Amino acid sequence: GDYTGALRPQIHFSPPTEFMNDPNGMFVDVNGTYHLYYQYNPTATVAGNQHWGHATSTDLYHWVNQKIAIFATEDSQIFSGSCVIDTNNTSGFFPGQDNGVVAIYTLNTATAQTQEIAWSVDGGYTFEKYEGNPVLALDPPSSQFRDPKVVRYDDHWVMVLAYAQEFAIGIFTSPDLKSWTHASNFSHHGLLGLQYECPNLVEMPVEGGDPMWVMAISINPGAPLGGSITEYFPGEFNGTHFTAIDAAARLTDFSKDNYAGQFFYGIPPTEEQIYIGWASNWEYSQAVPTGQLEGWRSSMTVPRRTHIANVTRVGINMMDMPYNIEAVLDAPLATNSSLGNGTVFVDYSSLNSGAIWFQVNVTGLPNNTATPSRQGTLNFTFSASSTRESVSGGFYFGGDNPFWMNRGDIYGFGNTDPFFTDKFSVGNPINANGTFTLDGIIDRSILEAFIDNGRSVGTMTFFPQGMLDTMVLRTNGLNDGVEVSVAVWGLKSAWA
Ligand code: FRU
């Protein structure tokens, strides 16, 4: 792959060439190597001929592209799914081995979707399809039954998968990954969209409490902002049944480019879990200009570490922050620990990666929504000096004003594609203790904003005609006693 293109993210994973969608099979092996598989069409920049592409990394930023792991055939495609490590050889595929890997995926044909497995004795690089496939099929056959995600629970395996157009997540159990028994359904919960896809079940730490289970469901089409989005439900899981704590649909993202994400298999529930999503949307993923211009389409989000917290005024909520960004950290470009009402200006045209991490911390804000609305503003703009395009974001401090982001000042694709929504916002971004935090990552054609320590995340792609090279962050109208600190770092290309 050629990763030098002006739109190619430098700290995010994107495929060597052609079309990528969902992350698949994510697991971490005993040596600490992370495996990422992905929905991959190696023959076109649109979806179709779906294989499982594969890449590995020890830090989740520096990826090594591996050979395709699981191949489509002439009349069937390998759709989304997951991997587990069969430490105790429950499957019988791995005599004398404790690092056998089993992939569980959907086989898609013209008439049906069935669940198959494939096994790997070399730690996940090459796979053999099981001769007893399929391991799970519906009778009569269904073409809307897909995306198995398997986890370990005590003495058995648990699979969640989507009866896509029945708005149900089936929960199945197995002793050996080969025979599966239906245990329960989790259905008609949250936003239905027009299909349920790519369920996940994961247990993660809770601030000040015991670990909690989370069910995540991706919906497409029919997301509130159009197309694709992922929702999640904190709850309880007893090995066969999942019960959500309430009926609320919590979204993983307030923007439009975070879909079909997965959590890595093999991370203990007492540690923060690690999530990667597909940073695109089916409304425009097959039309974005990277296809014509650079021969590839779609990147993943940055890896995110996640846990649950009970946030004042928000309730039980998943917190997502960039995982281990230190792995790609370059020199600081600007720091100011007492900006007050002022401006931070950074010309980063000499930064080869074109990738930046910026942090803003504001304290001393009124923390209740009853206070009058505008008490100052914060705005940031990343612009291209060659074309005057820009991506921006900001916040009118106070009251219940939202934090917003805007990709409408990028020319070309954004102005012509009717689904490439311009603006996104999230309400109530001030913490109850009167602080506002923003962690931003911008990487050539993607911006990820983490608000209030990861309480809300916005993932927004954009495709400028000139490279962004100038950052301006400005505050004004802030009251006395409001403190602003800003830090901006360059990020090192993980692909150079
Ligand atoms: C979600 C999805 C999955 C399916 C895969 C096919 O984006 O539609 O439901 O398995 O993509 O590529």
Side-chain angles (χ1 to χ4, degrees), residues 171-187:
I171 300 179
F172 292 77
T173 60
S174 173
D176 58 5
L177 298 164
K178 292 172 174 167
S179 63
W180 291 93
T181 305
H182 183 257
S184 66
N185 278 349
F186 177 73
S187 67

Side-chain angles (χ1 to χ4, degrees), residues 19-24 38-40 47-48 50-52 77-81 106 108 113 144 146-148 162 164 195-199 218 220 228 259-260 278 282:
F19 187 79
M20 175 179 84
N21 54 293
D22 315 356
N24 291 154
Y38 53 90
Q39 283 293 287
Y40 186 39
Q50 305 300 92
H51 296 52
W52 271 29
Q77 300 81 43
I78 311 297
F79 272 18
S80 285
T106 298
N108 183 67
Q113 293 183 338
Q144 299 295 338
R146 61 180 174 274
D147 306 338
Q195 292 186 115
Y196 275 5
E197 298 183 321
C198 299
S218 286
N220 176 76
S228 330
Y259 191 63
W278 175 44
W282 280 116

